[in-house]
Amino acid sequence: MAALVKRGGSDDLCPGGPFFSNLMDSSLLRSLAHTVDVYCPPRKRSRVAVPHILRAEEITAEEKQQPCSIDILPDECLFEILRRLPGDKERSNSACVSKRWLMLLSSICSSERAGQLKPNLQCVSKSLPDLNEHPSLSQQEIHNNGFLTRRLAAEEATDIRLAAIALGTCSRGGLGKLFIQGNDSTKLSNVGLSAIAHACPSLRMLSMWKVPLVTDAGLEEIADECPLLEKLDLCQCPQISDKGLIAVALKSPNLISLTIESSSSISNKALQVVGRRCLKLKYVTIKDCPQVGDQGIASLVSSPSSSLERIKLQSLNVTDLALAVIGQYGKNLTDISLTSLQNVGEKGFWVMGNTCGLQKLRSISIINCSGLTDIGLQAVAKGSPFMKQLFVRKSCYLTDAGLRAFAEKAWTLENLHLEDCNRITFVGVLSALFTCPKLKSLSLITCLGIKDLAFAPPQLPSCISLESLTIQDCPGVTSVSLQVVGKIFPQLRKINLGGQAGVTDVSLAPLIDNSKVGLVEVNLRGCVSISDALISMLVNAHGSTLKMLNLDGCTKITDRSLTFIAHCCSVLDDLDLSHCSIGNYGVAVLASAKQLNLRILSLARCSITEKIMPLLANMGQSMVGLNLQQCRLISTDAVGLLEEELWWSDIIS
């Protein structure tokens, strides 16, 4: 150790020193004559403290009775002893002695262990196995190296806890994944991270969220000691800068995934090194990093040996140039996510599409980017002939014309999600539906421009590919539009109409009647106008296939609906009855239905009493989730007794 080398000696052995004068004593000279010859430097001595040689008459009886302990040794001596422990199991056991031993053991690098410096000659020749010894432990240490995972949250994340994890896992297969989710008061520092680095060379994934005290030095320790690192997440780590990330890039050739979020100290310089050295990098996420610009993003994408497949950029100071480089060199990209890039204009999206370099792109997500226009979206479709998913949110310039032009180019599109796109109308959506022959999922969320048609066409072609339909929080969509939709989607399996207050029994009847394959998931949350008659129609037609039914906030649903569900549904496993007008009788009917095997049941804000609790306890071992929030007629004691009965379930009250 450096501390051992830099320690200076004393002048006790010099002529005139106290120890030198004692040596002149004849009795001491005679006793030393029989000892083994020891070489001593003329003016220096080792750091190990030599106890003061006393005459026999100077040793008191009280001192004789004092027990001799290894703890009186200084840290340097104890370090030399502990680093000579033969194996991981011995080091793990020794760490249980005290916090001092724990921290000393965790500070020993693999290169400082005596076993690493001088291999045991007895182990060179292969010995016969001991048949009386259980072989599983040693085999697991070899074959399961790096499969253990540890998660620390808030107050749990301390240096001592990390040191204990480091030494505890090294003899049990090795730590492979470490997740640290801290807060502003988290006291974890470089000491704890160094302990992980020294004892866990098998570490493959490190995720740190809101760890304010860890600096570049701690990350450099990870880079030096963990060469197998494949995934690194740094979120809100203010003291980690380019220096730490560059160290990882230079010494982690196996890095596959990198996430950097809310870091003001990481800039283009570090990303340029990452782009040059991390040739296996496939997934990159960079959010809220003000120092990252076009040069950093271009370096990640434009490397000749780049294998980047997924890139997510959010709130960065990038311009059209970054998107142009992505479009030109992103030959392996399959997933692109662009969020809140305010300096990117229409030109950036146009160039990204027209360079025709995104031949492998399958999914693109564009959120709150003011530069997205009809022309830009059309160009993206042109340059990505195999795109399967489009996700657009908060686009104020996208219109029906752009959506129609995109659909004409995206022949392979399977999933279309539009949210907060207020210039899109129902006509534009229908034109896109009929143009994309492989579209399977359509989601329209908070699109205020989608309203009922002024007149319903007498006949529309069927869209036989669509399997999932979501129209959520679009107040302009009422019965007229839903009746049209119900006639053209015969293959629907999933329906989500959450928040559509204008939905009625009459408007949903075509959707229920025209589904030829059987509905699997139905979400009617907040549809306050539907009644028991609709539920009767639904379960009679699709009870054999229905697995999920959400009736949260449907105040007209009563115990009658539960009777229909109990009699007709055979595979239902998720039922939400929150804020419905049901009571003890309806729940009793559900509990008595032998063919039902509900896994999740929500009865929040329902008028049920404690009398129903024994029936809930008898609903079978399939129940894993029960919601009893705001059931004011049920006491805390009754819920506690139910928790004892359904100990395997997660009960919320």
Side-chain angles (χ1 to χ4, degrees), residues 288-503:
D288 300 311
C289 297
Q291 300 298 323
V292 174
D294 294 334
Q295 292 181 353
I297 303 303
S299 300
L300 291 175
V301 180
S302 61
S303 173
S305 57
S306 175
S307 57
L308 203 61
E309 296 180 2
R310 184 186 306 163
I311 186 169
K312 296 183 179 181
L313 308 178
Q314 178 174 338
S315 301
L316 303 178
N317 292 324
V318 297
T319 64
D320 297 339
L321 177 61
L323 265 64
V325 174
I326 291 175
Q328 178 69 32
Y329 296 100
K331 56 183 181 300
N332 293 317
L333 284 174
T334 61
D335 189 346
I336 297 177
S337 177
L338 308 173
T339 303
S340 299
L341 304 182
Q342 302 303 327
N343 295 330
V344 174
E346 180 184 72
K347 182 180 179 180
F349 287 99
W350 185 87
V351 175
M352 182 177 69
N354 280 285
T355 51
C356 298
L358 302 175
Q359 296 295 311
K360 294 184 179 180
L361 189 65
R362 297 295 183 270
S363 173
I364 186 168
S365 175
I366 305 173
I367 302 173
N368 194 25
C369 293
S370 57
L372 181 64
T373 62
D374 295 343
I375 296 176
L377 188 62
Q378 181 182 4
V380 170
K382 177 182 177 181
S384 310
F386 302 104
M387 185 183 299
K388 293 185 177 181
Q389 178 173 323
L390 173 65
F391 186 105
V392 179
R393 179 190 297 171
K394 293 184 178 180
S395 177
C396 54
Y397 297 112
L398 186 61
T399 66
D400 290 344
L403 185 60
R404 188 182 305 110
F406 172 85
E408 290 174 354
K409 300 292 183 180
W411 284 86
T412 60
L413 191 68
E414 296 180 359
N415 191 334
L416 176 60
H417 183 108
L418 301 175
E419 185 172 349
D420 289 324
C421 299
N422 297 326
R423 299 184 67 178
I424 299 293
T425 68
F426 201 80
V427 175
V429 172
L430 289 177
S431 63
L433 285 173
F434 299 136
T435 308
C436 298
K438 297 183 179 181
L439 192 65
K440 295 181 180 180
S441 177
L442 173 64
S443 298
L444 306 172
I445 301 176
T446 323
C447 294
L448 303 182
I450 298 180
K451 302 177 181 179
D452 283 339
L453 297 172
F455 62 93
Q459 188 174 2
L460 288 174
S462 296
C463 183
I464 59 175
S465 62
L466 198 70
E467 299 177 358
S468 175
L469 174 64
T470 298
I471 302 177
Q472 187 174 329
D473 298 321
C474 298
V477 177
T478 58
S479 58
V480 176
S481 298
L482 289 177
Q483 289 181 18
V484 174
V485 168
K487 296 177 182 179
I488 61 177
F489 299 138
Q491 302 295 322
L492 275 183
R493 300 177 63 87
K494 299 179 182 179
I495 299 176
N496 184 353
L497 300 176
Q500 296 300 121
V503 172

